Amino acid sequence: MYKIVSKKDLASNVKMFKVYAPRVAAKAKPGQFIILRLHEKGERIPLTITDWSKEEGTVTIVVLEAGKTTKELASMKEGDYILNFVGPLGKPAEVKYYGTVAFVGGGVGIALIYPEVRAFKEAGNKIITIIGARTKDLLIFEDELSKLSDELYVATDDDSKGHHGFVSDILKKLLEEGKHIDLVIAVGPVIMMKVISDLTRPYGIKTIVSLNPIMVDGTGMCGSCRVTVGGETKFVCVDGPEFDGHLVDFDNLIARNRRYLEEEKIALERFLSHG
Amino acid sequence: MGKPQKIREKKVPMPEQPPKERIKNFNEVALGYTAEMAVEEAKRCLQCKPKEGQKICVDGCPVGVNIPEFIKHIREGDFEGAIRIIKEKNNLPAICGRVCPYERQCEMYCTLGKRFEPVGIGRLERFVADWELARGVKIPEKAPPNGKKVAVVGSGPAGLTAAADLAKLGYEVTIFEALHKPGGVLIYGIPEFRLPKRIVEAEVEYVKKLGVKIECDVVVGKTVTIEDLLKEYDAIFIGTGAGLPNWLGIPGENLNGVYSANEFLTRVNLMKAYLFPEYDTPIRIGERVATIGGGNVAMDCARTALRLGAKESYIVYRRTEKEMPARAEEIERAKEEGVIFKLLTQPIRFIGDEKGWVKQMECVQMKLSEPDETGRRRPVPIPGSGFLMDVDTVVVAIGQSPNPLIPKTTPNLKTGRKGEILVDEKQRTSIEKIFAGGDITTGNATVIAAMGAGKRAAQAIHEYLSGKS
Ligand SMILES: Cc1cc2nc3c(=O)[nH]c(=O)nc-3n(C[C@H](O)[C@H](O)[C@H](O)COP(=O)(O)OP(=O)(O)OC[C@H]3O[C@@H](n4cnc5c(N)ncnc54)[C@H](O)[C@@H]3O)c2cc1C
Ligand SMILES: Cc1cc2nc3c(=O)[nH]c(=O)nc-3n(C[C@H](O)[C@H](O)[C@H](O)COP(=O)(O)OP(=O)(O)OC[C@H]3O[C@@H](n4cnc5c(N)ncnc54)[C@H](O)[C@@H]3O)c2cc1C
Ligand code: SF4
Ligand code: SF4
Ligand code: FES
């Protein structure tokens, strides 16, 4: 049992939790994730480790309400317990000095790039951060990221703040202007990561994406999380979650993430009708 | 005792759910003996006193259960006595009595089996174990605490057995398990209809009552490393199994609707997807399901598919039934339930629809040629025999390999060609204080072999820590 020690609403459908899980906190590194199961009948779902404190023994997760399990988690309160919480899973990000690193975060991905922005900044890189969301209320972590970034750009789909349009528009403009970038790290919806990877390919800029396939165990045992990368099958939970975006077969990932659409709808409707 | 009777030629039949009914539920198929049936079956035993060099039942049991003796107690109606004898050697009899391949072990050496059907040793073992479980399990005497600590990694049969034996010897034992539930393959792999989870839970409870601590949600190699554990424990036993699914490596394997056996079974058994939406984890099953493989795992998948509502469930295997590694009993049950066997057939490509779901499988017909290094005749494709098979779900059940996580994160831990941890006859690894056993050292084997390794390791750890070796 893992206690929720604090909860914060970041946006109407985005919540941040600090969970007491000292073993995970002691080993966490940027780019890694946990898997949790809320209760005896719950599903195992992966969430990125957004922050951690070895001293407090806590791990911070940020969750976007997507379906049944994330909505149920979002409804939990400070002092409640999560039944299972295992990690840190996946390979840590390869943090080192590259020069100029451009981070692109979309939606909940904005929160997820935070630990990496911090680590890459500490490694001496110049940081350009581009974040985008549907509307300005969903621009979470903007202050934190702005402090760490040498340049910060914002986009919203509805023109409520910053550039009217997509994060990819901003990156495209920077590249066209001839801005020097050594590495791009993109975290967000699969389609966004695909567009960003296509964008940087002609420039030959190495682009890292963090994949979010459907997982079960998270330890390399089932293969639910497999995707095709560079023509080979990779298990995202142990070989990833970060991969070279120029090698990822995004269409395969998009198709695989639609495996349970019908069941997800049934589960959500059932949850919303009787909790 | 009554007057001598003629020996029954066949085992006393075991009551079973009829095939038509059982494919509609996940309840156990074989229902177990009543006390009368058990006594009746026990009477078939000849109570052999083997001559020098003669092999009997006991010689086929990897943990050396004193079979004639426990059967004698059953015959006399002393079930309590029978279970005590079994438990001297076997900590998990309710499980072994269900899933041991006894036809290739104890029952294969049964003297009676030379003329008639062998004594139903597995069934009898199951009967007394269930009898005890129903009454509440007695905790055996333990040695007083000796102040030494042992960590066990993995809670499958190897880990549970090693932990139980060490606890009985007075060690303070903690099991670390990656998943949220202990039991290993017994919990996530073998289906409810063959091994009810309440049985596994009861056996796990028994191990806990011996004083063993079980910590779930700990992935050794990630959450803690072997090196971390070495600082805190006097010895370590690694029993992490063979959990890495093997693939065919053919085009289309990442299409939707193609599962590894592990994913398919884990969703159904561990996550209880067969109870979706009461349980949150879904599983998707089509009308025509093909399971590739011929072992116990494949049989479990094909039979599970039927229970999930598949109209047609196929076993696709590249050799013939004779070469199938699955237990005869399981093949028989699969057939009774309507599983269709497509033998001498090898898939070479999966074909998807426009949305990325598998819709067909291209196969070739095989024939058997001369025996290979395993002694089985090698299948070779017949040229020009390709054909298409319509399928909407495929389960790949062609074996598992040892999970590389611990070897990868433990410097100097030696592994073999297939990634298995190398051990000597005392289950010692290349690193002092570290022992290993079960599928992680052998590749996918059996429950009882894993238990045997756990027992040997417990003994070796005891010798090591008490300075006897
Ligand atoms: C490595 C990794 C890190 C992630 N980090 C975060 C994070 O920090 N914050 C966050 O909000 N989300 C994160 N996600 C996504 C999150 O796991 C899914 O949103 C969540 O599982 C959805 O579950 P649900 O029941 O609420 O929704 P559902 O209705 O079940 O699913 C909504 C969508 O989420 C995906 N999904 C469903 N089940 C799973 C599953 N078991 N595992 C993975 N994806 C699934 C599917 O694409 C599905 O279409 C991460 C995913 C991965 C793989
Ligand atoms: C579907 C199926 C059906 C089978 N049917 C039969 C049968 O009928 N009869 C028979 O005798 N055998 C059968 N077997 C084989 C048998 O189950 C195995 O040989 C046996 O379970 C091996 O035991 P083990 O303890 O070595 O490993 P496992 O049972 O695999 O247990 C290993 C445990 O270690 C955990 N683990 C792995 N890595 C880590 C880590 N890094 N940190 C912490 N924990 C970890 C795993 O989660 C797991 O719980 C079957 C196997 C399968 C898959
Ligand atoms: S443990 Fe297995 S092999 Fe040994 S007696 Fe029991 S059924 Fe037979
Ligand atoms: S070999 Fe068969 S008949 Fe003889 S003691 Fe063993 S079980 Fe009984
Ligand atoms: S989630 Fe099961 S192997 Fe990655």
PDB file of all heavy atoms in Angstrom, chain A residues 2 23 27 41 44 68 84 87 90 221-222 226 228 255 262-263, chain B residues 180 215 217 222-223 228 253-254 256 258 260 262 278 280 284:
ATOM      1  N   TYR A   2       0.542   2.159  -0.858  1.00  0.00           N
ATOM      2  CA  TYR A   2       1.385   3.345  -1.039  1.00  0.00           C
ATOM      3  C   TYR A   2       0.514   4.578  -0.829  1.00  0.00           C
ATOM      4  O   TYR A   2      -0.480   4.785  -1.526  1.00  0.00           O
ATOM      5  CB  TYR A   2       2.003   3.310  -2.438  1.00  0.00           C
ATOM      6  CG  TYR A   2       2.797   2.039  -2.657  1.00  0.00           C
ATOM      7  CD1 TYR A   2       2.154   0.858  -3.034  1.00  0.00           C
ATOM      8  CD2 TYR A   2       4.167   1.997  -2.439  1.00  0.00           C
ATOM      9  CE1 TYR A   2       2.869  -0.329  -3.206  1.00  0.00           C
ATOM     10  CE2 TYR A   2       4.892   0.825  -2.603  1.00  0.00           C
ATOM     11  CZ  TYR A   2       4.229  -0.340  -2.984  1.00  0.00           C
ATOM     12  OH  TYR A   2       4.935  -1.505  -3.143  1.00  0.00           O
ATOM     13  N   ARG A  23      11.432   3.080  -1.826  1.00  0.00           N
ATOM     14  CA  ARG A  23      12.334   2.271  -2.652  1.00  0.00           C
ATOM     15  C   ARG A  23      12.428   2.836  -4.064  1.00  0.00           C
ATOM     16  O   ARG A  23      13.504   2.855  -4.665  1.00  0.00           O
ATOM     17  CB  ARG A  23      11.830   0.831  -2.731  1.00  0.00           C
ATOM     18  CG  ARG A  23      12.162   0.018  -1.517  1.00  0.00           C
ATOM     19  CD  ARG A  23      12.380  -1.436  -1.943  1.00  0.00           C
ATOM     20  NE  ARG A  23      12.743  -2.214  -0.797  1.00  0.00           N
ATOM     21  CZ  ARG A  23      11.920  -3.046  -0.172  1.00  0.00           C
ATOM     22  NH1 ARG A  23      10.696  -3.213  -0.619  1.00  0.00           N
ATOM     23  NH2 ARG A  23      12.322  -3.707   0.883  1.00  0.00           N
ATOM     24  N   LYS A  27      15.826   5.091  -6.212  1.00  0.00           N
ATOM     25  CA  LYS A  27      16.490   4.641  -7.442  1.00  0.00           C
ATOM     26  C   LYS A  27      16.080   5.437  -8.682  1.00  0.00           C
ATOM     27  O   LYS A  27      16.618   5.208  -9.774  1.00  0.00           O
ATOM     28  CB  LYS A  27      16.170   3.154  -7.671  1.00  0.00           C
ATOM     29  CG  LYS A  27      16.953   2.209  -6.787  1.00  0.00           C
ATOM     30  CD  LYS A  27      18.330   1.930  -7.384  1.00  0.00           C
ATOM     31  CE  LYS A  27      19.359   1.567  -6.346  1.00  0.00           C
ATOM     32  NZ  LYS A  27      19.185   0.269  -5.762  1.00  0.00           N
ATOM     33  N   LYS A  41      -9.185  -4.913  -8.196  1.00  0.00           N
ATOM     34  CA  LYS A  41      -9.749  -5.188  -9.521  1.00  0.00           C
ATOM     35  C   LYS A  41      -9.146  -4.294 -10.596  1.00  0.00           C
ATOM     36  O   LYS A  41      -9.599  -4.283 -11.737  1.00  0.00           O
ATOM     37  CB  LYS A  41     -11.269  -5.007  -9.477  1.00  0.00           C
ATOM     38  CG  LYS A  41     -11.926  -6.041  -8.594  1.00  0.00           C
ATOM     39  CD  LYS A  41     -13.433  -5.935  -8.566  1.00  0.00           C
ATOM     40  CE  LYS A  41     -13.981  -7.074  -7.721  1.00  0.00           C
ATOM     41  NZ  LYS A  41     -15.427  -6.951  -7.502  1.00  0.00           N
ATOM     42  N   ARG A  44      -3.126  -2.439 -14.422  1.00  0.00           N
ATOM     43  CA  ARG A  44      -1.783  -1.907 -14.198  1.00  0.00           C
ATOM     44  C   ARG A  44      -1.536  -0.850 -15.265  1.00  0.00           C
ATOM     45  O   ARG A  44      -1.587  -1.147 -16.449  1.00  0.00           O
ATOM     46  CB  ARG A  44      -0.739  -3.033 -14.331  1.00  0.00           C
ATOM     47  CG  ARG A  44      -0.809  -4.085 -13.231  1.00  0.00           C
ATOM     48  CD  ARG A  44       0.097  -5.259 -13.543  1.00  0.00           C
ATOM     49  NE  ARG A  44       1.517  -4.900 -13.516  1.00  0.00           N
ATOM     50  CZ  ARG A  44       2.328  -5.116 -12.486  1.00  0.00           C
ATOM     51  NH1 ARG A  44       1.860  -5.685 -11.371  1.00  0.00           N
ATOM     52  NH2 ARG A  44       3.595  -4.761 -12.530  1.00  0.00           N
ATOM     53  N   LYS A  68     -10.856   5.179 -17.704  1.00  0.00           N
ATOM     54  CA  LYS A  68     -11.322   4.724 -16.390  1.00  0.00           C
ATOM     55  C   LYS A  68     -10.261   4.848 -15.295  1.00  0.00           C
ATOM     56  O   LYS A  68     -10.495   5.454 -14.250  1.00  0.00           O
ATOM     57  CB  LYS A  68     -11.778   3.269 -16.507  1.00  0.00           C
ATOM     58  CG  LYS A  68     -11.632   2.517 -15.219  1.00  0.00           C
ATOM     59  CD  LYS A  68     -12.818   1.931 -14.609  1.00  0.00           C
ATOM     60  CE  LYS A  68     -12.696   1.939 -13.109  1.00  0.00           C
ATOM     61  NZ  LYS A  68     -12.717   0.689 -12.421  1.00  0.00           N
ATOM     62  N   ASN A  84      -0.793  -0.924  -5.466  1.00  0.00           N
ATOM     63  CA  ASN A  84       0.532  -1.327  -5.967  1.00  0.00           C
ATOM     64  C   ASN A  84       1.197  -0.187  -6.724  1.00  0.00           C
ATOM     65  O   ASN A  84       0.521   0.552  -7.439  1.00  0.00           O
ATOM     66  CB  ASN A  84       0.415  -2.539  -6.899  1.00  0.00           C
ATOM     67  CG  ASN A  84      -0.243  -3.716  -6.233  1.00  0.00           C
ATOM     68  OD1 ASN A  84      -1.417  -3.974  -6.460  1.00  0.00           O
ATOM     69  ND2 ASN A  84       0.486  -4.396  -5.373  1.00  0.00           N
ATOM     70  N   GLY A  87       8.492   0.318  -9.389  1.00  0.00           N
ATOM     71  CA  GLY A  87       9.427   1.014 -10.265  1.00  0.00           C
ATOM     72  C   GLY A  87      10.761   1.184  -9.564  1.00  0.00           C
ATOM     73  O   GLY A  87      10.976   0.606  -8.511  1.00  0.00           O
ATOM     74  N   GLY A  90      11.996   0.897 -16.879  1.00  0.00           N
ATOM     75  CA  GLY A  90      12.533   1.474 -18.114  1.00  0.00           C
ATOM     76  C   GLY A  90      13.953   1.974 -17.927  1.00  0.00           C
ATOM     77  O   GLY A  90      14.478   2.033 -16.821  1.00  0.00           O
ATOM     78  N   MET A 221       8.075  -9.141 -19.680  1.00  0.00           N
ATOM     79  CA  MET A 221       7.583 -10.499 -19.612  1.00  0.00           C
ATOM     80  C   MET A 221       6.449 -10.790 -20.599  1.00  0.00           C
ATOM     81  O   MET A 221       6.246 -11.949 -20.962  1.00  0.00           O
ATOM     82  CB  MET A 221       7.156 -10.737 -18.156  1.00  0.00           C
ATOM     83  CG  MET A 221       6.593 -12.062 -17.829  1.00  0.00           C
ATOM     84  SD  MET A 221       4.825 -11.962 -17.817  1.00  0.00           S
ATOM     85  CE  MET A 221       4.490 -11.763 -16.112  1.00  0.00           C
ATOM     86  N   CYS A 222       5.724  -9.750 -21.058  1.00  0.00           N
ATOM     87  CA  CYS A 222       4.521 -10.063 -21.836  1.00  0.00           C
ATOM     88  C   CYS A 222       4.570  -9.637 -23.294  1.00  0.00           C
ATOM     89  O   CYS A 222       3.938 -10.249 -24.140  1.00  0.00           O
ATOM     90  CB  CYS A 222       3.297  -9.465 -21.153  1.00  0.00           C
ATOM     91  SG  CYS A 222       3.117  -7.686 -21.380  1.00  0.00           S
ATOM     92  N   ARG A 226       5.217  -3.992 -27.126  1.00  0.00           N
ATOM     93  CA  ARG A 226       6.210  -4.034 -28.203  1.00  0.00           C
ATOM     94  C   ARG A 226       5.860  -3.087 -29.343  1.00  0.00           C
ATOM     95  O   ARG A 226       4.696  -2.889 -29.668  1.00  0.00           O
ATOM     96  CB  ARG A 226       6.405  -5.467 -28.708  1.00  0.00           C
ATOM     97  CG  ARG A 226       5.244  -6.067 -29.461  1.00  0.00           C
ATOM     98  CD  ARG A 226       5.454  -7.566 -29.604  1.00  0.00           C
ATOM     99  NE  ARG A 226       4.491  -8.207 -30.495  1.00  0.00           N
ATOM    100  CZ  ARG A 226       3.288  -8.601 -30.124  1.00  0.00           C
ATOM    101  NH1 ARG A 226       2.848  -8.363 -28.893  1.00  0.00           N
ATOM    102  NH2 ARG A 226       2.480  -9.202 -30.984  1.00  0.00           N
ATOM    103  N   THR A 228       7.719  -1.575 -33.290  1.00  0.00           N
ATOM    104  CA  THR A 228       8.757  -1.823 -34.274  1.00  0.00           C
ATOM    105  C   THR A 228       9.665  -0.596 -34.342  1.00  0.00           C
ATOM    106  O   THR A 228       9.187   0.513 -34.564  1.00  0.00           O
ATOM    107  CB  THR A 228       8.122  -2.103 -35.648  1.00  0.00           C
ATOM    108  OG1 THR A 228       7.047  -3.019 -35.461  1.00  0.00           O
ATOM    109  CG2 THR A 228       9.127  -2.677 -36.617  1.00  0.00           C
ATOM    110  N   ALA A 255      -1.619   2.076 -34.203  1.00  0.00           N
ATOM    111  CA  ALA A 255      -2.560   0.951 -34.352  1.00  0.00           C
ATOM    112  C   ALA A 255      -2.603   0.129 -33.061  1.00  0.00           C
ATOM    113  O   ALA A 255      -3.673  -0.227 -32.569  1.00  0.00           O
ATOM    114  CB  ALA A 255      -2.149   0.073 -35.528  1.00  0.00           C
ATOM    115  N   GLU A 262     -12.829  -0.319 -27.721  1.00  0.00           N
ATOM    116  CA  GLU A 262     -14.201  -0.648 -27.319  1.00  0.00           C
ATOM    117  C   GLU A 262     -14.286  -0.951 -25.836  1.00  0.00           C
ATOM    118  O   GLU A 262     -15.180  -0.473 -25.146  1.00  0.00           O
ATOM    119  CB  GLU A 262     -14.666  -1.896 -28.076  1.00  0.00           C
ATOM    120  CG  GLU A 262     -15.449  -1.589 -29.317  1.00  0.00           C
ATOM    121  CD  GLU A 262     -15.633  -2.862 -30.128  1.00  0.00           C
ATOM    122  OE1 GLU A 262     -16.206  -3.832 -29.592  1.00  0.00           O
ATOM    123  OE2 GLU A 262     -15.164  -2.887 -31.287  1.00  0.00           O
ATOM    124  N   GLU A 263     -13.329  -1.748 -25.355  1.00  0.00           N
ATOM    125  CA  GLU A 263     -13.340  -2.127 -23.940  1.00  0.00           C
ATOM    126  C   GLU A 263     -13.094  -0.912 -23.062  1.00  0.00           C
ATOM    127  O   GLU A 263     -13.691  -0.783 -21.991  1.00  0.00           O
ATOM    128  CB  GLU A 263     -12.275  -3.195 -23.672  1.00  0.00           C
ATOM    129  CG  GLU A 263     -12.576  -4.573 -24.253  1.00  0.00           C
ATOM    130  CD  GLU A 263     -12.271  -4.698 -25.746  1.00  0.00           C
ATOM    131  OE1 GLU A 263     -11.761  -3.705 -26.330  1.00  0.00           O
ATOM    132  OE2 GLU A 263     -12.560  -5.755 -26.317  1.00  0.00           O
TER     133      GLU A 263
ATOM    134  N   HIS B 180       2.481  -8.025  -8.575  1.00  0.00           N
ATOM    135  CA  HIS B 180       1.746  -7.637  -7.367  1.00  0.00           C
ATOM    136  C   HIS B 180       1.237  -8.837  -6.586  1.00  0.00           C
ATOM    137  O   HIS B 180       0.646  -8.681  -5.529  1.00  0.00           O
ATOM    138  CB  HIS B 180       0.602  -6.672  -7.713  1.00  0.00           C
ATOM    139  CG  HIS B 180      -0.360  -7.197  -8.734  1.00  0.00           C
ATOM    140  ND1 HIS B 180      -0.357  -6.801 -10.043  1.00  0.00           N
ATOM    141  CD2 HIS B 180      -1.345  -8.103  -8.639  1.00  0.00           C
ATOM    142  CE1 HIS B 180      -1.311  -7.434 -10.704  1.00  0.00           C
ATOM    143  NE2 HIS B 180      -1.916  -8.237  -9.860  1.00  0.00           N
ATOM    144  N   GLU B 215       7.559  -9.589  -0.111  1.00  0.00           N
ATOM    145  CA  GLU B 215       7.402  -8.208  -0.546  1.00  0.00           C
ATOM    146  C   GLU B 215       7.185  -8.164  -2.045  1.00  0.00           C
ATOM    147  O   GLU B 215       8.087  -8.463  -2.823  1.00  0.00           O
ATOM    148  CB  GLU B 215       8.648  -7.402  -0.172  1.00  0.00           C
ATOM    149  CG  GLU B 215       8.778  -7.243   1.319  1.00  0.00           C
ATOM    150  CD  GLU B 215       9.567  -5.995   1.683  1.00  0.00           C
ATOM    151  OE1 GLU B 215       9.495  -5.012   0.924  1.00  0.00           O
ATOM    152  OE2 GLU B 215      10.259  -6.039   2.702  1.00  0.00           O
ATOM    153  N   ASP B 217       5.895  -6.035  -5.661  1.00  0.00           N
ATOM    154  CA  ASP B 217       6.238  -4.743  -6.280  1.00  0.00           C
ATOM    155  C   ASP B 217       7.726  -4.425  -6.159  1.00  0.00           C
ATOM    156  O   ASP B 217       8.094  -3.250  -6.122  1.00  0.00           O
ATOM    157  CB  ASP B 217       5.443  -3.582  -5.643  1.00  0.00           C
ATOM    158  CG  ASP B 217       3.942  -3.737  -5.784  1.00  0.00           C
ATOM    159  OD1 ASP B 217       3.513  -4.422  -6.722  1.00  0.00           O
ATOM    160  OD2 ASP B 217       3.202  -3.167  -4.959  1.00  0.00           O
ATOM    161  N   LYS B 222      16.041  -3.407 -10.663  1.00  0.00           N
ATOM    162  CA  LYS B 222      15.525  -2.053 -10.864  1.00  0.00           C
ATOM    163  C   LYS B 222      15.260  -1.373  -9.523  1.00  0.00           C
ATOM    164  O   LYS B 222      15.852  -0.369  -9.194  1.00  0.00           O
ATOM    165  CB  LYS B 222      14.219  -2.110 -11.672  1.00  0.00           C
ATOM    166  CG  LYS B 222      14.421  -2.483 -13.107  1.00  0.00           C
ATOM    167  CD  LYS B 222      14.787  -1.255 -13.925  1.00  0.00           C
ATOM    168  CE  LYS B 222      15.101  -1.588 -15.356  1.00  0.00           C
ATOM    169  NZ  LYS B 222      15.704  -0.461 -16.052  1.00  0.00           N
ATOM    170  N   THR B 223      14.302  -1.927  -8.766  1.00  0.00           N
ATOM    171  CA  THR B 223      13.924  -1.324  -7.484  1.00  0.00           C
ATOM    172  C   THR B 223      15.071  -1.465  -6.469  1.00  0.00           C
ATOM    173  O   THR B 223      15.381  -0.536  -5.728  1.00  0.00           O
ATOM    174  CB  THR B 223      12.647  -1.988  -6.922  1.00  0.00           C
ATOM    175  OG1 THR B 223      11.699  -2.122  -7.986  1.00  0.00           O
ATOM    176  CG2 THR B 223      12.049  -1.177  -5.806  1.00  0.00           C
ATOM    177  N   ASP B 228      22.731  -4.476  -3.750  1.00  0.00           N
ATOM    178  CA  ASP B 228      22.074  -3.891  -2.563  1.00  0.00           C
ATOM    179  C   ASP B 228      21.722  -5.001  -1.570  1.00  0.00           C
ATOM    180  O   ASP B 228      21.940  -4.886  -0.365  1.00  0.00           O
ATOM    181  CB  ASP B 228      20.758  -3.189  -2.935  1.00  0.00           C
ATOM    182  CG  ASP B 228      20.967  -1.971  -3.838  1.00  0.00           C
ATOM    183  OD1 ASP B 228      22.062  -1.398  -3.797  1.00  0.00           O
ATOM    184  OD2 ASP B 228      20.023  -1.623  -4.583  1.00  0.00           O
ATOM    185  N   GLU B 253       4.225 -10.021 -36.997  1.00  0.00           N
ATOM    186  CA  GLU B 253       4.047 -10.485 -35.622  1.00  0.00           C
ATOM    187  C   GLU B 253       3.599  -9.371 -34.668  1.00  0.00           C
ATOM    188  O   GLU B 253       3.081  -9.651 -33.595  1.00  0.00           O
ATOM    189  CB  GLU B 253       5.348 -11.121 -35.120  1.00  0.00           C
ATOM    190  CG  GLU B 253       5.115 -12.244 -34.149  1.00  0.00           C
ATOM    191  CD  GLU B 253       6.323 -13.159 -34.022  1.00  0.00           C
ATOM    192  OE1 GLU B 253       7.427 -12.758 -34.410  1.00  0.00           O
ATOM    193  OE2 GLU B 253       6.151 -14.274 -33.511  1.00  0.00           O
ATOM    194  N   ASN B 254       3.813  -8.101 -35.057  1.00  0.00           N
ATOM    195  CA  ASN B 254       3.384  -7.006 -34.185  1.00  0.00           C
ATOM    196  C   ASN B 254       1.998  -6.473 -34.536  1.00  0.00           C
ATOM    197  O   ASN B 254       1.580  -5.428 -34.044  1.00  0.00           O
ATOM    198  CB  ASN B 254       4.405  -5.871 -34.212  1.00  0.00           C
ATOM    199  CG  ASN B 254       5.719  -6.295 -33.572  1.00  0.00           C
ATOM    200  OD1 ASN B 254       5.779  -7.344 -32.914  1.00  0.00           O
ATOM    201  ND2 ASN B 254       6.756  -5.515 -33.764  1.00  0.00           N
ATOM    202  N   ASN B 256      -2.057  -6.149 -34.456  1.00  0.00           N
ATOM    203  CA  ASN B 256      -3.030  -6.298 -33.370  1.00  0.00           C
ATOM    204  C   ASN B 256      -3.675  -7.673 -33.456  1.00  0.00           C
ATOM    205  O   ASN B 256      -3.923  -8.182 -34.544  1.00  0.00           O
ATOM    206  CB  ASN B 256      -4.110  -5.227 -33.486  1.00  0.00           C
ATOM    207  CG  ASN B 256      -3.588  -3.856 -33.115  1.00  0.00           C
ATOM    208  OD1 ASN B 256      -2.447  -3.713 -32.669  1.00  0.00           O
ATOM    209  ND2 ASN B 256      -4.418  -2.841 -33.288  1.00  0.00           N
ATOM    210  N   VAL B 258      -2.246 -10.318 -32.228  1.00  0.00           N
ATOM    211  CA  VAL B 258      -1.192 -11.317 -32.014  1.00  0.00           C
ATOM    212  C   VAL B 258      -0.661 -11.123 -30.591  1.00  0.00           C
ATOM    213  O   VAL B 258      -0.168 -10.051 -30.245  1.00  0.00           O
ATOM    214  CB  VAL B 258      -0.040 -11.179 -33.030  1.00  0.00           C
ATOM    215  CG1 VAL B 258       1.017 -12.248 -32.777  1.00  0.00           C
ATOM    216  CG2 VAL B 258      -0.569 -11.260 -34.458  1.00  0.00           C
ATOM    217  N   SER B 260       1.673 -12.729 -27.235  1.00  0.00           N
ATOM    218  CA  SER B 260       2.529 -13.776 -26.699  1.00  0.00           C
ATOM    219  C   SER B 260       1.661 -14.570 -25.722  1.00  0.00           C
ATOM    220  O   SER B 260       0.687 -14.038 -25.184  1.00  0.00           O
ATOM    221  CB  SER B 260       3.715 -13.179 -25.938  1.00  0.00           C
ATOM    222  OG  SER B 260       3.290 -12.674 -24.684  1.00  0.00           O
ATOM    223  N   ASN B 262       2.411 -15.355 -22.836  1.00  0.00           N
ATOM    224  CA  ASN B 262       2.524 -14.681 -21.540  1.00  0.00           C
ATOM    225  C   ASN B 262       1.543 -13.534 -21.402  1.00  0.00           C
ATOM    226  O   ASN B 262       0.921 -13.364 -20.363  1.00  0.00           O
ATOM    227  CB  ASN B 262       3.941 -14.136 -21.346  1.00  0.00           C
ATOM    228  CG  ASN B 262       4.846 -15.147 -20.692  1.00  0.00           C
ATOM    229  OD1 ASN B 262       4.413 -16.231 -20.329  1.00  0.00           O
ATOM    230  ND2 ASN B 262       6.107 -14.781 -20.528  1.00  0.00           N
ATOM    231  N   GLU B 278     -15.982  -6.311 -14.730  1.00  0.00           N
ATOM    232  CA  GLU B 278     -15.907  -6.215 -13.263  1.00  0.00           C
ATOM    233  C   GLU B 278     -14.451  -5.926 -12.857  1.00  0.00           C
ATOM    234  O   GLU B 278     -14.197  -5.141 -11.945  1.00  0.00           O
ATOM    235  CB  GLU B 278     -16.386  -7.519 -12.642  1.00  0.00           C
ATOM    236  CG  GLU B 278     -16.604  -7.411 -11.152  1.00  0.00           C
ATOM    237  CD  GLU B 278     -16.611  -8.767 -10.478  1.00  0.00           C
ATOM    238  OE1 GLU B 278     -16.925  -9.773 -11.142  1.00  0.00           O
ATOM    239  OE2 GLU B 278     -16.286  -8.813  -9.276  1.00  0.00           O
ATOM    240  N   ASP B 280     -10.763  -4.453 -14.350  1.00  0.00           N
ATOM    241  CA  ASP B 280     -10.521  -3.401 -15.341  1.00  0.00           C
ATOM    242  C   ASP B 280      -9.728  -3.829 -16.568  1.00  0.00           C
ATOM    243  O   ASP B 280      -9.759  -3.149 -17.586  1.00  0.00           O
ATOM    244  CB  ASP B 280      -9.756  -2.236 -14.684  1.00  0.00           C
ATOM    245  CG  ASP B 280     -10.629  -1.494 -13.679  1.00  0.00           C
ATOM    246  OD1 ASP B 280     -11.867  -1.638 -13.749  1.00  0.00           O
ATOM    247  OD2 ASP B 280     -10.075  -0.762 -12.830  1.00  0.00           O
ATOM    248  N   ARG B 284      -9.038  -9.273 -25.698  1.00  0.00           N
ATOM    249  CA  ARG B 284      -9.840  -9.285 -26.904  1.00  0.00           C
ATOM    250  C   ARG B 284      -9.679 -10.629 -27.566  1.00  0.00           C
ATOM    251  O   ARG B 284      -8.568 -11.069 -27.808  1.00  0.00           O
ATOM    252  CB  ARG B 284      -9.337  -8.225 -27.844  1.00  0.00           C
ATOM    253  CG  ARG B 284     -10.491  -7.690 -28.622  1.00  0.00           C
ATOM    254  CD  ARG B 284     -10.242  -6.283 -28.892  1.00  0.00           C
ATOM    255  NE  ARG B 284     -11.470  -5.561 -28.941  1.00  0.00           N
ATOM    256  CZ  ARG B 284     -11.897  -5.044 -30.077  1.00  0.00           C
ATOM    257  NH1 ARG B 284     -11.251  -5.233 -31.188  1.00  0.00           N
ATOM    258  NH2 ARG B 284     -12.995  -4.338 -30.046  1.00  0.00           N
TER     259      ARG B 284
END
